[in-house]
Amino acid sequence: MNFQLKPTQRKASKIKMALQGCSSSGKSMSALLIAKGLCNGNLSNVAVIDSENSIELYSHIGDFKVLNLSQPFSPERYIAAIELCEKSNIEVIIIDSISHCWHYLLQLHSSLSGNSFTNWNKVTPLYNMFVQKLLQSPCHIICTIRTKQDYIIKTVDNKTTVEKIGLKAIQRNEIEYEFTTVLDIDIHHQAKASKDRTGLFMDKPSFVVDESTGTKILDWCNSGLKVDDVKRQIKETTSLEELTTIYNQYPEWYKLLATEFAQQKTLLQSRQTKSTNNINNQNIKHHGTTLTTKAG
């Protein structure tokens, strides 16, 4: 086995986040405001994959693009929609919502004959394929997730009200582990992090999402090592050994850096060949002079 230890280094990244809450909590609006911050206020680089058929109600926020997703809400159709956004050079993809995909998979599972438990072996790979597409996309991705809802009775100052609350996410168990950040949004549009690797929101007071939320996330995403930094390192290499070391350090960027690695490898090989030829020519001249001297 060819194991290798290397120094830890956080790289510039694309956020993969989820907003979950019950109906009317403001997930769609919050997603658009975060996307606006991620794009420095330019929503023309934002696309919404809309299975809720309601996102255009928020067109006053900016000139974003919409891909209306209709049934069947299969993982393959979600993936095709994401790939279309990627090919269109979209910067932020909002998927509103991914709960429809989970509903589709539950229905698929229930339609299969045979053992219910073993039938998950046919459904789970489809789900994993969808999740991996989310995580590996070169775009920022914001997913909204519906939650099951219930009602509670609250009495404050002798005034009784009925309030809608969100419960469990309508999605596969432990889906939150797949995202960098998960914000739970309540009926009063207050957001609180239930999972957050950025450190921006965890254990902080509830807040109302706005454009500055996206700006903070963008700053965090850009604070690590960027692809352009690695491109400069590649160009500065003076040997194939140095180039190989850099190549082994960033396996997740192989596709993005393939052209730079290939060009630098060709350049270094050319320099090496030229240097070898020069040394050989000098040796020939040296030996030729020696022979002439002895002969004289």
Side-chain angles (χ1 to χ4, degrees), residues 2-67:
N2 186 21
F3 294 123
Q4 182 183 14
L5 288 172
K6 61 181 181 179
T8 182
Q9 188 172 39
R10 194 175 78 77
K11 304 171 183 65
S13 59
K14 299 294 184 179
I15 196 69
K16 314 296 181 186
M17 70 181 302
L19 308 178
Q20 56 185 25
C22 59
S23 172
S24 302
S25 59
K27 300 184 296 296
S28 302
M29 169 78 83
S30 296
L32 283 168
L33 291 173
I34 292 172
K36 195 171 185 179
L38 285 169
C39 288
N40 294 310
N42 182 14
L43 276 176
S44 64
N45 290 325
V46 174
V48 182
I49 298 172
D50 182 19
S51 61
E52 298 278 359
N53 293 314
S54 62
I55 200 67
E56 291 182 86
L57 295 173
Y58 306 102
S59 58
H60 61 280
I61 297 177
D63 188 23
F64 56 89
K65 296 175 176 61
V66 179
L67 191 160

Side-chain angles (χ1 to χ4, degrees), residues 123-290:
V123 176
T124 298
L126 298 175
Y127 176 81
N128 291 340
M129 180 175 63
F130 170 59
V131 171
Q132 287 306 307
K133 184 60 185 179
L134 295 178
L135 300 180
Q136 294 173 7
S137 174
C139 305
H140 297 291
I141 290 189
I142 306 170
C143 298
T144 68
I145 305 175
R146 293 178 175 184
T147 59
K148 295 177 182 179
Q149 58 190 47
D150 201 351
Y151 297 87
I152 60 172
I153 298 174
K154 296 179 67 174
T155 301
V156 179
D157 296 330
N158 294 322
K159 184 178 180 180
T160 301
T161 58
V162 178
E163 184 173 306
K164 182 163 53 176
I165 59 171
L167 300 174
K168 189 176 182 295
I170 302 176
Q171 189 54 233
R172 187 166 184 166
N173 288 340
E174 302 180 347
I175 180 64
E176 64 272 12
Y177 294 130
E178 307 293 349
F179 294 102
T180 308
T181 299
V182 179
L183 297 181
D184 298 330
I185 306 178
D186 66 22
I187 196 62
H188 302 294
H189 315 308
Q190 293 285 321
K192 192 169 182 60
S194 56
K195 185 256 178 95
D196 180 31
R197 290 178 182 154
T198 70
L200 296 171
F201 311 108
M202 201 67 191
D203 301 322
K204 304 288 176 63
S206 299
F207 64 98
V208 176
V209 169
D210 58 21
E211 188 176 336
S212 69
T213 308
T215 303
K216 291 176 184 176
I217 294 172
L218 180 63
D219 290 342
W220 179 86
C221 289
N222 291 337
S223 63
L225 185 71
K226 302 177 179 63
V227 172
D228 287 342
D229 296 329
V230 182
K231 287 181 179 180
R232 282 193 292 271
Q233 290 181 26
I234 292 171
K235 289 182 179 180
E236 291 171 359
T237 56
T238 58
S239 69
L240 291 173
E241 290 75 14
E242 287 182 38
L243 185 64
T244 301
T245 298
I246 293 176
Y247 182 84
N248 291 332
Q249 281 182 328
Y250 308 105
E252 67 276 31
W253 285 347
Y254 284 167
K255 290 183 179 180
L256 293 175
L257 298 170
T259 300
E260 285 74 15
F261 278 122
Q263 289 176 345
Q264 190 67 6
K265 180 180 179 181
T266 301
L267 177 62
L268 291 173
Q269 286 175 333
S270 175
R271 287 177 181 174
Q272 192 177 61
T273 301
K274 186 176 180 180
S275 176
T276 301
N277 289 339
N278 287 337
I279 291 172
N280 289 337
N281 289 335
Q282 289 174 3
N283 287 337
I284 290 171
K285 288 179 181 179
H286 173 73
H287 291 310
T289 301
T290 302

